[in-house]
Structure formats: structure tokens, C-alpha cells
Amino acid sequence: MQVGLVGMGRMGAGIRDRLSDHGHEVVGYDRDASLGGVASLQALVDALAAPRVVWVMVPSGEATEQTVQTLTSLLQPGDVLIEGGNSNYHDSVRRAAAVAEHGIGFIDCGTSGGIWGHANGFCLMVGGSDSAVALAEPLFTSLAAEGGYAHLGPAGAGHFTKMVHNGIEYGLMEAYAEGFALLRAYDAPLDLERVAGLWQHGSVVRGWLLELTERAFRADPGLDTLRGVVDDSGEGRWMVQDAIDRVVPLDVIATSVFKRFASRDDNSFSMRVLAALRREFGGHAVHVEP
């Protein structure tokens, strides 16, 4: 099918390329003209046949807000707007109601897979009306890894699920980081790359994040080129606040969020592991030693 894609950075480019690989026609737009595509949002909408499907992959917050508002003024009743960034689910519920007043469908798509999604497939957590999701479903099935797509409920359900997903990710990463910090402190030197590789075979702690840990140690055994400063995208904060509002204890995840705050005041090895993992799975910027 034909789709408009707004935002062709790390994740957007992976979505564009995987859709193209599966035979879809992607009309792209990015504020950075060097990334290619049409010259404006108006040109993107004009290039699409009705009913139009436009996928937005820009940073959460004001950039997403302005893009959704502009597209709402350009699209027509029956068109569908997909918001695939890491937005707060409260904003997605509000945006869905706002675009519905113009007869436009809204889908919030929690998108996981990082910079590896193009090659391996994405995990897509989708919220929206049945009719809007049915129109866009060929895109989701092409983008997703096997079994990696589900329509979870009305608008907001996708980004709520992605928020929880990212909070769990925080906790898993923190556990790996602390464990490898203790391994490094052992009386005799341990090959941390080898340990990470070993644990991927039959161990109960095996997983993709552990594979990325091994990859990071292979490239830089002591992670000496990194500073242990770990940024956060905001979803961990939202999850902790939501848990407070719903009176749900999140001891491990809340601690992992606060550990990231603490990382900005030290340079511990565990924080360097966390920084390395964010770089490996998401291509996120890291702080490096001068």
C-alpha cells in the first residue's frame, strides 16, 4: 500500500526501508532535507491517494504536537494518522479525540526494535479504532517480526503498553549493569564478553539485551571510551508517576529510573554498561571520555 512517513531519522529510516523492502510505496518527509523525501507536509499529503495513511516518527513532545496539528489541518475525513513515537499515552488519547472531530482516524503505535528493526522486524503495540487499524494493518504486518504485532485496544492502549515495556527495559538493563559491575570486581580478572556469551546458552537470564552486552564488551572490553552518564527518554518517569496514581508498587523500575539520575553525578562501571546498551539497541548518543 501507499503511506506517508514523517521523520526519517534512526527509527524512521528503518521503518521506511523495511516497508519498501516489502513492496509498499513510501512518500517521506523530514525537516532535514538531506534525508530526502518531499519538501513539505502539504506536498506529502498531496502525493497520497485517499484514503491516506500518514505515519509520524518525530521526537515526542512539542515536535509531535505541532506535526499532528498541521497534518490534522491537511488531511481529509477517512484518512488515518499513525503516531509511532514514544509519546505519553494521555497525549495520544487527547490527540485521537481531537482528530476524530475532523473525521480522521488516529492510531498510537508503540514501536520497539531500535536500530535493528529494519533487519529483524519491529514489535508493534497498537491502539486505535478497529476501522483505522484495519486500513493500516498491511503496514504493521510487514514491519513486525513474526508474532510482533497486536491491536491491543482503543487509542492510548498502544503507547500505554509501550510505556510499561520501556519501564521493564529500564529494570532489566539495571540488573545486567549491576551484575557485570560485580563480576568486574572479582578477585581475578573475568572475561566479561565471554560471560555474556556463555549466559546466552541455556541460562535463565539469556536474552537480546545480553547479546548486546556481549557485543559492547567485544568492541570495548572495559567500556573505557564511555562515560557512565545515562539519559532517559521520559517513559520511565511516566510509568512511575502512573503507578503512583494507580497505587501499584514498582520498586525495581522506580529505582532504575533514579539510578539514571544518579549517573549524571558519577562515572561508575554499571552506568557505562547502561550507556553501552542504549547505544547498541537504539543508536542513542553516548557521553564519551575526552
Side-chain angles (χ1 to χ4, degrees):
M1 64 183 289
Q2 187 185 47
V3 59
L5 178 64
V6 181
M8 294 186 290
R10 291 190 306 266
M11 290 283 282
I15 289 172
R16 175 198 62 201
D17 295 342
R18 189 168 174 89
L19 287 176
S20 297
D21 291 346
H22 283 76
H24 300 284
E25 179 190 349
V26 181
V27 179
Y29 166 74
D30 196 285
R31 290 179 61 184
D32 183 350
S34 68
L35 298 178
V38 298
S40 66
L41 290 176
Q42 179 69 68
L44 180 138
V45 171
D46 290 344
L48 301 174
R52 303 167 187 83
V53 176
V54 178
W55 190 310
V56 176
M57 285 299 293
V58 301
S60 62
E62 189 60 26
T64 293
E65 187 70 21
Q66 291 299 320
T67 301
V68 169
Q69 289 183 9
T70 301
L71 286 169
T72 300
S73 70
L74 298 175
L75 295 172
Q76 300 297 317
D79 294 343
V80 170
L81 183 58
I82 304 171
E83 207 279 274
N86 283 333
S87 287
N88 190 304
Y89 76 95
H90 293 292
D91 290 333
S92 298
V93 172
R94 172 179 55 79
R95 289 166 183 152
V99 304
E101 295 179 1
H102 299 266
I104 300 168
F106 184 90
I107 297 172
D108 56 301
C109 180
T111 309
S112 182
I115 58 176
W116 299 87
H118 173 212
N120 300 337
F122 293 91
C123 180
L124 303 176
M125 298 150 260
V126 171
S129 68
D130 290 344
S131 58
V133 172
L135 182 62
E137 195 161 56
L139 303 175
F140 301 140
T141 55
S142 292
L143 284 170
E146 184 176 358
Y149 152 62
H151 179 198
L152 298 170
H159 280 153
F160 180 80
T161 304
K162 180 58 162 51
M163 176 188 74
V164 175
H165 164 283
N166 280 25
I168 293 171
E169 177 186 294
Y170 277 39
L172 291 172
M173 291 170 64
E174 180 63 29
Y176 280 134
E178 292 180 9
F180 279 100
L182 183 57
L183 287 169
R184 186 171 181 262
Y186 183 60
D187 299 332
L190 293 174
D191 185 335
L192 300 187
E193 177 193 345
R194 189 177 185 188
V195 172
L198 171 68
W199 285 351
Q200 291 170 48
H201 300 280
S203 165
V204 296
V205 299
R206 64 187 181 272
W208 187 50
L209 286 174
L210 191 58
E211 293 178 29
L212 296 177
T213 304
E214 180 188 20
R215 174 187 168 95
F217 286 137
R218 184 180 306 124
D220 183 3
L223 304 182
D224 297 317
T225 63
L226 297 178
R227 283 192 54 76
V229 178
V230 184
D231 297 322
D232 69 290
S233 61
E235 294 206 67
R237 305 185 193 199
W238 302 338
M239 185 175 174
V240 172
Q241 183 60 60
D242 206 83
I244 292 170
D245 295 340
R246 298 174 189 273
V247 198
V248 176
L250 294 184
D251 305 57
V252 170
I253 293 170
T255 298
S256 71
V257 174
F258 295 137
K259 290 286 285 186
R260 292 193 177 199
F261 298 164
S263 78
R264 292 152 206 185
D265 296 322
D266 61 28
N267 189 29
S268 69
F269 186 74
S270 64
M271 290 300 111
R272 298 206 296 276
V273 174
L274 286 184
L277 279 172
R278 291 185 85 244
R279 177 180 62 186
E280 292 295 334
F281 73 72
H284 296 289
V286 294
H287 301 262
V288 298
E289 289 289 359

